Amino acid sequence: MVFPEIVKPLRLTLPFTARIDQAANPVAKKLLQLMASKQSNLCLAADVTSASDLMSLAESTGPFVCVFKTHIDIIEDFSPQLIQDLLAVAKKHNFLLMEDRYVLHLEEFLTCSLL
């Protein structure tokens, strides 16, 4: 007996290149294209608190990552220019930016806020 919840959907067994045309969402399509071109599915979570550390990490890992996940709300020296700089690095190294707010990390967020 085969249990449907155990069987992987066929599309998940296909290589990234074969899944690109099946993607209905433009962001999913872009991500699959990046994964195919970089031959990687690497996503980096940049959990740093300074703009310079964030930019340094983006520059040094950019050629290798498909997604660079930030926590902009914890950057202590944030300025609007940081967003422009990140966008430029993402374009230069061809990766997607993803913001991960600390909504689900409430205890951690409150601890940082109270200090």
Side-chain angles (χ1 to χ4, degrees), residues 67-110:
V67 178
F68 190 81
K69 186 175 71 134
T70 65
H71 291 286
I72 290 296
D73 53 336
I74 66 168
I75 300 294
E76 295 167 354
D77 55 345
F78 175 82
S79 75
Q81 184 60 45
L82 177 60
I83 302 298
Q84 298 307 312
D85 294 344
L86 275 173
L87 288 170
V89 172
K91 185 175 182 178
K92 173 183 171 184
H93 293 300
N94 196 24
F95 61 81
L96 297 177
L97 288 168
M98 180 178 133
E99 170 56 23
D100 184 15
R101 299 288 302 212
Y102 266 128
V103 174
L104 298 178
H105 308 284
L106 191 55
E107 182 181 344
E108 240 178 272
F109 177 73
L110 289 173

Side-chain angles (χ1 to χ4, degrees), residues 24-68:
N25 182 296
V27 176
K29 185 176 284 247
K30 173 70 174 171
L31 179 57
L32 287 167
Q33 289 168 337
L34 282 172
M35 291 163 62
S37 70
K38 291 190 174 191
Q39 297 184 351
S40 171
N41 62 356
L42 186 60
C43 173
L44 182 120
D47 296 336
V48 296
T49 57
S50 78
S52 62
D53 287 347
L54 187 67
M55 290 307 300
S56 177
L57 201 53
E59 276 290 353
S60 63
T61 63
F64 312 104
V65 300
C66 295
V67 178
F68 190 81

Side-chain angles (χ1 to χ4, degrees), residues 4-25:
E5 64 273 4
I6 296 174
V7 178
K8 281 187 178 181
L10 178 61
R11 68 181 171 74
L12 297 181
T13 63
L14 297 172
F16 301 137
T17 52
R19 292 168 54 186
I20 293 169
D21 291 334
Q22 296 179 4
N25 182 296

